[in-house]
């Protein structure tokens, strides 16, 4: 299904869903005056129609980034709240259908539950649904207000048995999944970069997804991310969103080729050493380790552009090899099986689904049912993987529990 037909079908579904919710709400407020009911109807449908028009405008028109963000926030919260109501409304309809079929007096279900509580079961369920809708509205709104830019510095000791003595105690920082096309607060984004630079890392990894769809999304933020500097360099890789696949499709075209070229150029402008199936030698006091980076290598619907066989060429003499690979599924899908010489891999991609719980000794997110490795440090045999939950956000413009991350590693010998 093409992009436009899919959007049209989604809009039809949303309108039908709106009619269903509207009728349920009006049915329980029978005491409203005709004028009140009329005003509510005008406000309800004006908001719904404007929201749908806004979604189309955000997709097809060159709206200001802030306006697009406002539309996205309103749409996401509205849908989340209505879905929270849905189980109560469906249950009430099924209950009334059951009564209509199996009872001789279907009007009994409209009677109050008791004389002490003069409210019908239908009214009770619909109002309970309205209360339930307030839960995601409150938590998701707080995630937007407080969580989207609440950058957290996580410090990790990375034990590498073969680490040369010259590298013992050196620090390396990682950020991932910037998704600059989603940002709407330049001051907050700049503050996160200042936090990163305040850690004074010796070198930095950026593990992909600079944008959502198109390279030009980063134009308002590239000066900010160009401030990410380190004495031993900033090294980067591409993520699945950086190729333009979700905008141009997977078939090559002149526009898609140019978009990717622009992406490579932006990394150069920002001073990032972009590794596309290649490696660099990092030297300190005459000793070396390897930094390898490959293009996106994903499972299922995610593209496999990465070529590890090219990245590992001429690296046999390096005692430690650190790999930048955006998608953590690459670790179990190929690295563990075929490349035991990789000491540690650094990924992003999962975002921790931007929702969950992350404490010192416990973490949970729905994304763990999709990715076995989704946040933090993992080890199998002598190989390690670190998954950064991301600097930015995608889709939902906020975070609840899984906050944006800046990781600072201290490299240590065993």
């Amino acid at each position: 299904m093409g992009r436009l037909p899919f959007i049209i079908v989604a809009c039809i579904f949303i309108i039908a869903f709106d009619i269903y919710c509207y009728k349920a709400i009006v049915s329980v407020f029978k005491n409203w005056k005709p004028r009140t009911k009329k005003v509510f109807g005008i406000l309800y449908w004006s908001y719904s129609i404007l929201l749908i028009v806004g979604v189309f405008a955000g997709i097809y028109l060159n709206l200001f980034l802030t306006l697009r963000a406002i539309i996205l926030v309103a749409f996401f919260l509205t849908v989340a709240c209505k879905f929270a109501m849905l189980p109560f409304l469906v249950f009430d309809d099924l209950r009334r259908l059951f009564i209509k079929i199996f009872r001789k007096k279907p009007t009994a279900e409209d009677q109050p539950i008791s004389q002490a509580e003069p409210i019908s079961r239908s009214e009770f369920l619909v109002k309970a649904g309205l209360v339930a809708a307030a839960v995601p509205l409150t938590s998701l709104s707080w995630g937007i207000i407080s969580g989207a830019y609440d950058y957290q510095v996580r410090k990790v000791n990375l034990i590498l048995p073969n680490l040369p003595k010259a590298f013992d105690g050196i620090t390396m920082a990682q950020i991932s999944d910037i998704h600059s096309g989603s940002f709407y607060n330049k001051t907050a984004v700049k503050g996160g970069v200042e936090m990163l630079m305040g850690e004074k890392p010796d070198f930095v990894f950026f593990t992909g997804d600079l944008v959502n769809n198109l390279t030009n999304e980063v134009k308002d933020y590239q000066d900010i991310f160009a401030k990410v500097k380190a004495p031993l360099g900033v090294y980067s890789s591409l993520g699945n969103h950086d190729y333009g696949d979700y905008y141009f499709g997977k078939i090559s075209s002149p526009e898609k080729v140019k978009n990717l070229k622009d992406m490579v150029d932006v990394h150069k402008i920002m001073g990032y050493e972009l590794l596309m199936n290649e490696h660099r030698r990092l030297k300190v006091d005459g000793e070396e380790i390897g930094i390898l980076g490959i293009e996106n290598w994903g499972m299922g619907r995610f593209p496999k552009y990465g070529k590890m066989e090219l990245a590992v060429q001429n690296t046999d003499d390096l005692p430690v090899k650190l790999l930048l690979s955006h998608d953590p599924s690459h670790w179990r899908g190929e690295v563990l099986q075929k490349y035991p010489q990789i000491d540690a891999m650094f990924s992003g991609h999962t975002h921790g689904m931007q929702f969950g719980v992350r404490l010192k000794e416990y973490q949970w997110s729905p994304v763990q049912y999709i990715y076995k490795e989704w946040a933090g440090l993992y080890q199998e045999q002598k190989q390690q993987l670190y998954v950064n939950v991301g600097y930015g956000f995608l889709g939902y413009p906020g975070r609840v529990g899984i906050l944006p991350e800046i990781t600072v590693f201290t490299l240590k010998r065993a």
Side-chain angles (χ1 to χ4, degrees), residues 31-197:
N31 295 328
W32 274 355
K33 296 178 181 179
R35 180 178 173 79
T36 303
K37 186 175 180 180
K38 183 179 180 180
V39 171
F40 174 76
I42 291 171
L43 292 175
Y44 184 96
W45 288 111
S46 296
Y47 175 78
S48 296
I49 292 169
L50 282 173
L51 201 57
I52 292 172
V53 171
V55 170
F56 273 94
I59 293 170
Y60 292 104
L61 300 179
N62 188 24
L63 300 180
F64 289 114
L65 188 61
T66 302
L67 181 56
R68 287 209 311 264
I70 291 170
I71 293 169
L72 179 62
V73 170
F75 181 78
F76 189 92
L77 288 178
T78 302
V79 172
C81 292
K82 288 177 180 175
F83 266 103
M85 287 179 60
L86 186 61
F88 295 89
L89 304 185
V90 171
F91 179 77
D92 182 47
D93 281 343
L94 292 175
R95 182 185 66 82
R96 287 191 289 111
L97 179 63
F98 179 85
I99 291 170
K100 186 175 182 179
I101 294 173
F102 294 102
R103 289 190 182 181
K104 293 181 180 180
K105 296 182 179 180
T107 55
E109 64 90 16
D110 284 326
Q111 299 303 313
I113 295 172
S114 69
Q115 293 298 321
E117 299 179 10
I119 180 173
S120 71
R121 289 178 177 84
S122 289
E123 187 176 349
F124 171 78
L125 286 169
V126 174
K127 287 184 176 179
L130 290 171
V131 172
V135 175
L137 178 63
T138 303
S139 61
L140 294 175
S141 296
W142 181 249
I144 294 167
I145 296 168
S146 175
Y149 300 102
D150 188 10
Y151 301 107
Q152 304 291 304
V153 175
R154 300 183 71 88
K155 298 192 175 184
V156 178
N157 288 328
L158 188 65
I159 309 298
L160 300 166
N162 297 322
L163 187 71
K165 188 175 181 180
F167 287 86
D168 191 20
I170 272 182
T171 58
M172 184 270 288
Q174 181 195 7
I175 57 173
S176 191
D177 299 84
I178 287 172
H179 288 287
S180 52
S182 298
F183 289 143
Y184 53 89
N185 189 333
K186 292 183 73 171
T187 302
V189 173
K190 182 180 178 182
V193 169
E194 289 171 350
M195 286 179 65
L196 168 59
M197 290 294 90

